[in-house]
Amino acid sequence: MRPYLLKGHERPLTQVKYNREGDLMISCAKNLYPCLWMADDGTRIGTYEGHNGAVWTCEISMDSQRLITSSADQTVRIWDLPTGKELHQIKMNEPCRACALSIGEKLLAFTTDSFMGIPPQIHIVDVDLQAEPGSGQIAGDKPRLTFDAPKGRITRIGWVEQNKVLLTSHDGGFVRRWDAETGELLEEAQVHEDAIQDMQFSQDGSYVVTASLDKTAKLVDVCTLEVLKTYKTGRFVQSAAISPLMDHVLAGGGQDASQVTTTAAKAGGFEARFFHKIYQEEFGNVRGHFGPINSVAFAPDGRSFATGGEDGYVRIHHFDMEYFSAKYV
Amino acid sequence: MARAKIRWADTLDEEEFGEALPPTTIKGPDSHGVKTVTEYYRNEKGDAIKKVTKSKVVQVEKKVYKVTEERRQWQRFGKAATETVQDSVTVQQKEDIPFERVRQLKATQQEKKMDMQAAMQSADKSTIVGSLKDMLYKRRMERELLRAKGLLADAERPPEEDGQPGKPAGLPSAPKPGSYVPPSVRNRGAGGGGGEGDSMQQRRRDENSLRVTNLSEDVSEADLQELFRPFGPISRVFLAVDRTTGENRGFAFVNYVYREDAERAIRNLNGYGYDNLILHVEWAAPRAERG
């Protein structure tokens, strides 16, 4: 593999995400502008300028026409994805962290961190992504529903069960299910011993992979919150993804960024690690980053993957044929 | 995808074409997918140059969404609109990053270990070469049978273990049984064993030492003990083993306590068919001479 190195951000990456077809990729970082890339050769198409703080997460609409970003500058912004124009801004009073579009893209759920005595909250806003830009119809002025969550950061959010339930991952290793109509806490389970840094859905949305600072990644059923599989890495896991093509789970992470300079480069464990989804064994890794990996993503066809690191680089890897033909069992 | 490779560029005579250069011609791609482009141009000196470029045309089929083709035409915006090649925002890594296998490596190491352990546990080396040993044993038995029938040639007659050795000149007789003879005095004068100042170890190695060559590969030290013991007490058996393969190197040293026994062993075992090879047994040259 000869990966493409994308140096669009000078600060640590926070999330990399493919669009539905897998030809575009968005990268968010702690600097102010997310970048849009061609996913095959890493050409930069554009940057989205306007944010005034770290961009934590993003969401791409199904038709790849809209981009939603949530940022530490206390805004959630909706962009015209092909042109980079800002269409709408949802202003909050707290840093915004995770965001997710519902199925059908009529609702947007996002989370805010606890700030100035206000607990962490989950908000649901009506959105109409097809509305004419400038018509003021793109998103509601106020969230239709806001509810408090227990102490601790809400790191990721997602819609499950036909938009009836919201699934969130939290500091402290909790995964919680919320009624999307009322905001009532339905179930909670502590699946990890430490903070969950990332939660990504499987292709069919029936289970998620959680990445945690307790040095494991786990497959969790979205309905029962039952832990299906555990992948032990021996390093902080910052992000994990499920291959849509093979029975593989990709985990990225590495030792804490604050300790990188105090240890040998090899001790960092900054490789992207591949685990067999069923057997839970690590069967391979791909090195490259010289800092912890903050975000990993599989292309929707499962033939390439992208990693975003603390070192400010995004690397796009296209698998060699050997990856698909080799037997691991 | 086309990879161009300039094969040659040759200068043409001016007179040949005069002022007008022939037009560029494109041939192919032919059955091998090779496209040939012939160009004519003038360099700074005004010389007419013919340049032939051959390139291999390879078609790669890839299924893409229709909509993705439209997206390729999107205008650059934001920082991307002003970026230049020098910014090198996107670089393909020169170095090939392998997909490193973890489990496979572990598996092979474990397998090796398992194999080793299995071999160690299953008694001794003889079980590994069991089938070969059986075969050789069978052959030896056949020889025995032939000998019993008197059909075997004299040359292959096995050694008579109690054969009477002829008294070599100048050799003292063996010490009287029952009386203690210190090792340093044993065999004194028998072939001028090492000097008194030599260490015991050195003497042990050099005294009454026989060199046995043309051994078969699956002979062990125990086998040699068995073979040489009948002629008298043995002080040392050394089988040369190849460090890398673990097989013996086809020769060994056997030291007898008494020189007479060694002589007897030479007489009886030199030329003896052991396993499927004919043994060669002789006096080992002293260390210094061996070189």
Side-chain angles (χ1 to χ4, degrees):
Chain A
M1 278 184 289
R2 288 184 55 207
Y4 291 96
L5 275 66
L6 318 183
K7 192 159 175 42
H9 305 279
E10 285 81 31
R11 300 282 323 274
L13 272 288
T14 52
Q15 195 175 38
V16 289
K17 209 167 208 174
Y18 285 92
N19 69 338
R20 185 170 68 125
E21 285 84 13
D23 62 322
L24 302 174
M25 198 191 70
I26 299 281
S27 61
C28 306
K30 286 183 181 170
N31 68 352
L32 307 181
Y33 49 89
C35 293
L36 171 67
W37 311 87
M38 298 298 295
D40 56 351
D41 61 357
T43 315
R44 184 157 72 170
I45 300 171
T47 56
Y48 301 89
E49 283 161 54
H51 273 299
N52 208 10
V55 181
W56 291 120
T57 58
C58 67
E59 180 80 331
I60 306 165
S61 69
M62 285 291 243
D63 59 4
S64 301
Q65 292 297 310
R66 297 288 182 270
L67 173 73
I68 296 154
T69 54
S70 57
S71 161
D73 67 358
Q74 309 184 347
T75 61
V76 172
R77 298 185 197 214
I78 302 174
W79 310 81
D80 187 39
L81 190 138
T83 62
K85 283 199 190 80
E86 186 183 321
L87 302 178
H88 189 83
Q89 209 181 104
I90 304 169
K91 286 199 184 82
M92 303 304 294
N93 296 314
E94 306 85 23
C96 305
R97 185 150 306 250
C99 61
L101 280 169
S102 68
I103 304 161
E105 299 180 345
K106 295 289 178 201
L107 297 168
L108 173 71
F110 62 93
T111 71
T112 49
D113 291 349
S114 85
F115 187 65
M116 303 283 280
I118 298 163
Q121 289 179 317
I122 299 166
H123 313 269
I124 301 174
V125 190
D126 291 293
V127 288
D128 182 4
L129 297 180
Q130 308 302 324
E132 281 297 310
S135 65
Q137 304 290 310
I138 287 176
D141 293 333
K142 288 185 87 181
R144 63 150 43 197
L145 181 70
T146 293
F147 52 95
D148 296 350
K151 206 168 156 256
R153 189 183 285 162
I154 310 166
T155 49
R156 291 288 184 269
I157 190 165
W159 297 82
V160 293
E161 298 185 25
Q162 290 79 45
N163 298 346
K164 282 185 200 138
V165 176
L166 279 169
L167 188 73
T168 54
S169 62
H170 299 253
D171 267 3
F174 283 94
V175 177
R176 293 192 170 93
R177 280 160 54 85
W178 309 85
D179 189 314
E181 284 288 326
T182 63
E184 189 193 338
L185 176 64
L186 299 174
E187 285 108 21
E188 65 172 17
Q190 190 179 14
V191 297
H192 284 284
E193 285 156 22
D194 208 336
I196 299 174
Q197 298 291 81
D198 189 21
M199 177 175 76
Q200 292 194 28
F201 282 84
S202 67
Q203 187 87 328
D204 62 358
S206 65
Y207 52 92
V208 292
V209 62
T210 55
S212 167
L213 296 183
D214 71 359
K215 302 180 179 178
T216 62
K218 288 181 181 179
L219 282 194
V220 180
D221 189 298
V222 297
C223 291
T224 61
L225 302 187
E226 184 193 348
V227 175
L228 305 170
K229 297 285 174 188
T230 303
Y231 311 100
K232 290 177 189 147
T233 69
R235 294 277 167 212
F236 296 138
V237 190
Q238 299 286 356
S239 183
I242 302 164
S243 171
L245 184 66
M246 317 283 278
D247 278 338
H248 297 164
V249 168
L250 167 62
Q255 71 185 154
D256 195 54
S258 63
Q259 288 165 16
V260 169
T261 51
T262 63
T263 49
K266 205 131 191 226
F270 303 138
E271 304 91 2
R273 291 149 156 229
F274 286 80
F275 289 82
H276 195 280
K277 188 163 78 180
I278 313 300
Y279 301 115
Q280 308 174 72
E281 272 179 65
E282 183 183 352
F283 65 85
N285 59 53
V286 175
R287 69 189 155 80
H289 281 286
F290 44 89
I293 293 175
N294 283 345
S295 182
V296 296
F298 268 109
D301 64 359
R303 294 181 174 275
S304 60
F305 73 98
T307 56
E310 188 81 10
D311 55 13
Y313 279 94
V314 176
R315 299 167 71 93
I316 300 178
H317 310 71
H318 297 275
F319 289 117
D320 296 332
M321 273 320 289
E322 191 207 347
Y323 167 81
F324 304 103
S325 53
K327 292 265 188 294
Y328 303 115
V329 188
Chain B
M1 196 189 289
R3 199 172 50 191
K5 195 181 173 189
I6 298 165
R7 282 291 175 81
W8 60 77
D10 42 0
T11 320
L12 299 168
D13 294 333
E14 286 235 1
E15 302 84 50
E16 203 175 322
F17 296 108
E19 288 304 304
L21 289 170
T24 302
T25 54
I26 300 169
K27 265 190 216 164
D30 63 9
S31 56
H32 300 290
V34 177
K35 193 171 98 174
T36 312
V37 179
T38 314
E39 293 170 271
Y40 299 92
Y41 63 95
R42 285 185 192 282
N43 64 7
E44 311 87 57
K45 286 181 196 164
D47 299 329
I49 307 283
K50 179 186 175 188
K51 184 174 139 196
V52 180
T53 311
K54 285 192 179 182
S55 52
K56 176 118 178 165
V57 181
V58 184
Q59 286 199 338
V60 180
E61 226 172 272
K62 195 184 169 191
K63 283 185 182 169
V64 292
Y65 293 95
K66 256 184 198 167
V67 67
T68 65
E69 281 309 299
E70 288 168 29
R71 287 178 195 154
R72 285 190 178 279
Q73 312 307 319
W74 283 355
Q75 291 294 312
R76 302 279 184 270
F77 60 88
K79 294 229 178 344
T82 54
E83 82 182 39
T84 57
V85 184
Q86 278 74 37
D87 294 342
S88 59
V89 172
T90 304
V91 185
Q92 185 166 22
Q93 192 157 354
K94 295 246 166 41
E95 186 193 354
D96 189 66
I97 302 286
F99 186 91
E100 282 163 49
R101 290 282 141 71
V102 175
R103 246 196 80 213
Q104 248 183 11
L105 194 72
K106 265 188 201 161
T108 48
Q109 274 173 353
Q110 264 171 1
E111 268 169 34
K112 260 188 200 167
K113 246 187 197 170
M114 289 293 281
D115 284 352
M116 289 272 280
Q117 278 172 351
M120 298 287 254
Q121 276 167 1
S122 65
D124 53 353
K125 200 183 156 200
S126 60
T127 53
I128 306 166
V129 293
S131 56
L132 185 61
K133 272 262 157 90
D134 284 351
M135 195 186 76
L136 295 170
Y137 177 73
K138 216 169 158 187
R139 231 179 254 174
R140 223 181 293 173
M141 291 314 283
E142 278 168 11
R143 270 205 304 263
E144 293 276 336
L145 202 68
L146 282 172
R147 186 157 47 86
K149 287 177 183 169
L151 293 171
L152 207 65
D154 276 353
E156 282 198 64
R157 180 160 295 171
E160 309 246 333
E161 292 183 354
D162 49 358
Q164 288 297 314
K167 283 227 165 165
L171 257 184
S173 59
K176 280 177 205 155
S179 66
Y180 174 75
V181 182
S184 55
V185 193
R186 279 178 204 164
N187 291 325
R188 175 170 293 179
E196 229 111 301
D198 282 353
S199 73
M200 289 284 290
Q201 193 69 19
Q202 185 64 39
R203 291 172 56 108
R204 253 188 76 183
R205 209 172 275 168
D206 284 351
E207 267 176 7
N208 310 328
S209 182
L210 300 185
R211 196 163 74 120
V212 188
T213 52
N214 208 22
L215 283 167
S216 80
E217 279 162 18
D218 50 321
V219 166
S220 67
E221 285 194 5
D223 291 340
L224 292 174
Q225 285 271 8
E226 201 184 322
L227 188 68
F228 287 90
R229 175 58 63 69
F231 302 101
I234 294 168
S235 59
R236 186 183 77 122
V237 172
F238 172 79
L239 182 65
V241 175
D242 194 306
R243 238 176 253 171
T244 51
T245 63
E247 282 176 348
N248 81 56
R249 291 167 62 193
F251 69 93
F253 293 98
V254 179
N255 292 33
Y256 278 96
V257 176
Y258 304 116
R259 195 174 172 85
E260 299 87 339
D261 297 338
E263 299 231 321
R264 211 143 44 93
I266 290 178
R267 216 163 324 113
N268 286 306
L269 284 175
N270 195 14
Y272 171 53
Y274 186 68
D275 277 352
N276 52 343
L277 297 170
I278 291 166
L279 289 187
H280 186 64
V281 184
E282 62 188 350
W283 289 109
R287 288 235 129 192
E289 289 175 40
R290 248 175 245 156

